[in-house]
Each structure stands twice: as structure tokens, then as C-alpha cells.
Amino acid sequence: MVSFKVSVVSTSPIDGQKPGTSGLRKKVKVFKQPNYLENFVQATFNALTPEKVKGATLVVSGDGRYYSEEAIQIIIKLAAANGVRRVWVGQNSLLSTPAVSAVIRERVGDDGSKATGAFILTASHNPGGPTEDFGIKYNMENGGPAPESITDKIYDNTKTIKEYPIAEDLPSVDISAIGITSFEGPDGKFDVEVFDSADDYVKLMKTIFDFESIKKLLSSPKFTFCYDALHGVAGAYAHRIFVEELGAQESSLLNCVPKKDFGGGHPDPNLTYAKELVARMGLSKTDAAVDPPEFGAAADGDADRNMVLGKRFFVTPSDSVAIIAANAVAAIPYFSSGLKGVARSMPTSAALDVVAKNLNLKFFEVPTGWKFFGNLMDAGMCSVCGEESFGTGSDHIREKDGIWAVLAWLSILAHKNKETLDGNAKLVTVEDIVRQHWATYGRHYYTRYDYENVDAAAAKELMGLLVKLQSSLPEVNKMVKGMHPEVANVASADEFEYKDPVDGSVSKHQGIRYLFEDGSRLVFRLSGTGSEGATIRLYIEQYEKDASKTGRDSQDALAPLVDVALKLSKMQEFTGRSAPTVIT
């Protein structure tokens, strides 16, 4: 057995290591600076209670993006020096973010060990490569992201750090081969175990869904299917689940080989970046597919986000979570005894609220950030949740889960088509399910405008103006009616603030809201997930209860509110942009 020594390296604080809602994200060249990664990891160890470090089991893996393999070796050496007992690594450094959560919650080592936390190496849906983004975040023993109390401590520690211990002479571990490598250090034995990336996750999915009924759907000649991993980590699960377990054709998988640079693409599952899937599903403006599949889906870099498409039909993430919630009890075995409650992030449309009201379910509106859902789930108050940024999930883990969402949709399709697969009856399609939902609950026309890499000072000024306008709603309504008399009056406006019903913590300044008398909304947020500059996100939502008006073109239905939002905020004046970077 190889033994190692621990040395202490002097260091000094590095500015800007404040973790956002999803950890610390910066350009690769920033992470490669001397002591940059080491400082942050040590600041995290110092923020945890001793039993979460000394003698503990930690998971270290991620989406396989550029710099992951080097980062894992550095973290292993820091973990060994800090007295961690064992590190679990997904083969080839790959574990999706939902799979990490599942591993923390479900996996038991041969010696009975359980993980107490994880370093996840991902920048989610941001591009990868030598000049692109890298990221790291810490997840707790419940499988969810570190709460603010911990991320604040980590940030404070980065501002005062003077040294870190490291096992410099620890040889690099071969993370391509499954097995355990054992070392001997000053604190005793230290193991690194490399394990199959998909095993634990697949096992969990089989306890949630009826794989047999999904298999029957996928084997029907009436049903065609397509899944695009955008060269992210979802590729490590797609073949195993969709082809091996569920019998889908190999040809139904697109871009399912994980790549360090995501094949040069932007691994963000939306209509802008999932170009190949969008074309195949018949939704491309320039490339009309002849006979698109019945169902298509895409994942982001770390496989926690999803986009769901029908034949020539886009399902908004806000509608998706509402439809899953409305059908979960009937279609998904895991929920057969009922839902404990449902929740959405504040910018997400109110489609879920209407379902909760109709089904008499507990409902929660939380700030953006999955940890808020995690609190509700740990307290047994929430079963299904989602956010408009293509994140959907349930209480099976404490992260959003892209493949889970796809399996949920396939379960609903299988359930709705129980009687149609064998005979001559017409298939119930994705579009049928969505339109039936609108007829029952009304439709929330919805769009999001993203203005990326905007000058941070200008973005702050814009937000300041919107807060100032809230103090005089009669004035605002006069402006609105002057622009578009058909738009309803603003009934109330505020900066969203959330008091957590579980721990009583208060989150302030979570977005600026203008709420209209007819249930429509405008929401403005500054986002913390980009790696440079500020991103302004504008959310526009028009509610339509009249079933005869739920089939309008979304852009037409939203045009007056969009115009109001852009003029009210003086968007072009502050940002210098005549159009957003991305429209969803």
C-alpha cells in the first residue's frame, strides 16, 4: 500500500470566490490560477463540521467538462490531507448532478459506508473547453446543494484563508478503471473508489417508474422517440436507460457521447441551442423535418435540466411541471398514494398554482435555487417541483432531474395510451395532453427574455428604476394604459421576499414583480449563473381562462405585455441592446 505525507502550503485570499445559487463558476483560466481551486475547496472543508470531513466519505465527480480530471486529482489530495476516509468517483469523472444526489442518499459501500457530501464539478448549461467555464459546488448529506448558511461561511473563509494541507506525493488515481485504490496516511487508511456512473441512478429510477409500461410504449410502431444529450453527462445514462432497459432504438439517441467541450456546442436544452433536436422534431424555421418523432427531449451539461417536445410542438417548462403534477398520481407508481404538495420558483408561470388549487394540494412559491425545494422536501411538504429554466424534479432526490422528467412524461404518455397501443385508435400525443390541460386549467402564455453579459452597473440601475416605479402604481398604470389600453391594470408590485416555512430563514431581493388584475405578471431578475457580466432575465406571463382563446400564437398573445415590459424598464436605454440574447 502506498503511503503519503501531508504538507502545509501557505496561501492568501483570492477575490471573487463567492458561490452563487449553484456554486462557484468562472472561466477555466481563472480556476487554473495557482491556489485558486485549493483555496475554495479548503474554505469548504473549514466551513463543515469536523465529522463531515475527518473519517467521512465524499463523492467527487461532475459533468466531465474540460479541467474536471485535473481538478478531481487536486481535490483527492486535499481530501486525503484533511483526514477524509474515502472518496467515491464516478468512472471517467462522470456523474450527473441528479446521480450525485442519488449516490449520497442511496449508495452504501461494501464496508457499509455512506457519503456525507459531495463536490460536484460542473458549470451546468454553460459551455465547456479551455476558454470556457468550469464550476464547483458542494452538496450536503441530504443530497441537496449547500444552504446559504454554509455558502456564506465558505465565502467568509475564502477571505481569510492563510494555508491548506495537501498530500502532494499522493499518486494520481486512474479514474477510468472501476475499483478501489488504498493509501496510508498520517490519519490512517485512505481509499479512492471508482464506480459505475449509472448503476445507483438506474436502480432508483426503477423504483419510481413502471419500466414495463414505458417499454410497451417505446416498442409500439405508433410511437417514435428521440433524446439529445448535447454531448453532456446525460449520455452516460441515455444508452443504459433508453436503449438497454426500455428497448428504444440506438438511432433515437443524439449527441450521447459525453465530451469535454460538449462538441463545441452550448449544452443548454432550449429552442436556441438544441438545434439538431429542434430540427428533427419539426420545429426549425429553416429545416422542416418530413416526419418528426412523437416525442423528443434534451438535457444540459450536467443532466439536471430538460426540454420536452412533441411533434412540431414545444412544451414550456412551466406547463411541463404543472402537467406532471396533474397526472403524477395516476401515471407514476411512486406517487400512487398522493402528492404531499407542489412548489415552483417565483419566476415560473402560475400554471402549477391552478393545478394545486383544483386538486387541493399544498402549494409553495420559492426563490430561484433548488435548495429551497430541498427544505420543503426534507420536511415532507413537497413531492413535485419545477422552475421555468428547464428544471423539474421530485422528492426522490434533492436536485432537479432531467432524465426523471423525461421518464415522467413517457409514463404519462404510456398511461394515456393504455388502450390505444394495440388497436387502430389514434395515439394520444404530447400536444393532445397539453391542449387538454389548457382546456381544463386555462393557459399561461409565457416567455422569458435573457440579456446576457450586460454591464453590471447598468443592470443595477435598471433594477433600481423598477423598484422606484413601484412606489407609485397609479403613475405606472397611466403609463401602461398609454402604451396598451387592452393590458389590465397593475394590482400590486413588490420585490419578492420568501420566509422559509421550515427553518424561518428570510430571503430578500429575489426579483421584482408587477402583478396584474387578470393574473398576468412581469418579473425582472438579475441572475447569478453566468461567469462574467450580469444577466437580466425578464419573464412575461399572460393568463387566459377562456378555453376558446387558449390556442393563440404565444408571441401574439404576449406582444402587448412584452412592449409594456421593455418600455417600462427602459431596457434598450440601459443595456444598449435592441433585442435579447435568448428568447425562450
Side-chain angles (χ1 to χ4, degrees), residues 38 85 103 164 170 271 359 393 424 427 477:
E38 291 87 343
R85 172 66 184 82
V103 165
Y164 58 83
L170 191 82
L271 296 171
L359 301 181
N424 296 322
L427 188 84
N477 281 323

Side-chain angles (χ1 to χ4, degrees), residues 343-371:
R344 65 165 171 84
S345 66
M346 183 275 283
T348 303
S349 96
L352 186 63
D353 315 31
V354 182
V355 171
K357 197 175 172 190
N358 277 30
L359 301 181
N360 201 16
L361 294 169
K362 273 190 207 154
F363 167 78
F364 303 92
E365 181 180 28
V366 306
T368 299
W370 209 258
K371 55 195 168 192

Side-chain angles (χ1 to χ4, degrees), residues 162-175:
K162 292 187 172 70
E163 59 184 33
Y164 58 83
I166 190 163
E168 295 265 25
D169 60 349
L170 191 82
S172 285
V173 176
D174 179 2
I175 55 175

Side-chain angles (χ1 to χ4, degrees), residues 376-387:
L376 295 170
M377 289 171 176
D378 285 345
M381 295 158 79
C382 176
S383 297
V384 171
C385 58
E387 51 188 24

Side-chain angles (χ1 to χ4, degrees), residues 290-306:
V290 184
D291 187 21
E294 287 296 339
F295 179 88
D300 69 334
D302 64 333
D304 63 350
R305 295 179 186 216
N306 72 92

Side-chain angles (χ1 to χ4, degrees), residues 237-252:
Y237 303 85
H239 189 276
R240 176 79 176 272
I241 291 174
F242 299 123
V243 178
E244 289 178 34
E245 296 283 349
L246 295 171
Q249 299 293 317
E250 187 85 49
S251 58
S252 61

Side-chain angles (χ1 to χ4, degrees), residues 302-342:
D302 64 333
D304 63 350
R305 295 179 186 216
N306 72 92
M307 174 171 69
V308 170
L309 303 172
K311 182 183 286 197
R312 300 191 180 92
F313 191 83
F314 169 64
V315 183
T316 73
S318 297
D319 278 345
S320 181
V321 67
I323 290 165
I324 291 171
N327 292 281
V329 175
I332 301 169
Y334 179 82
F335 300 117
S336 58
S337 58
L339 299 179
K340 297 162 189 164
V342 294

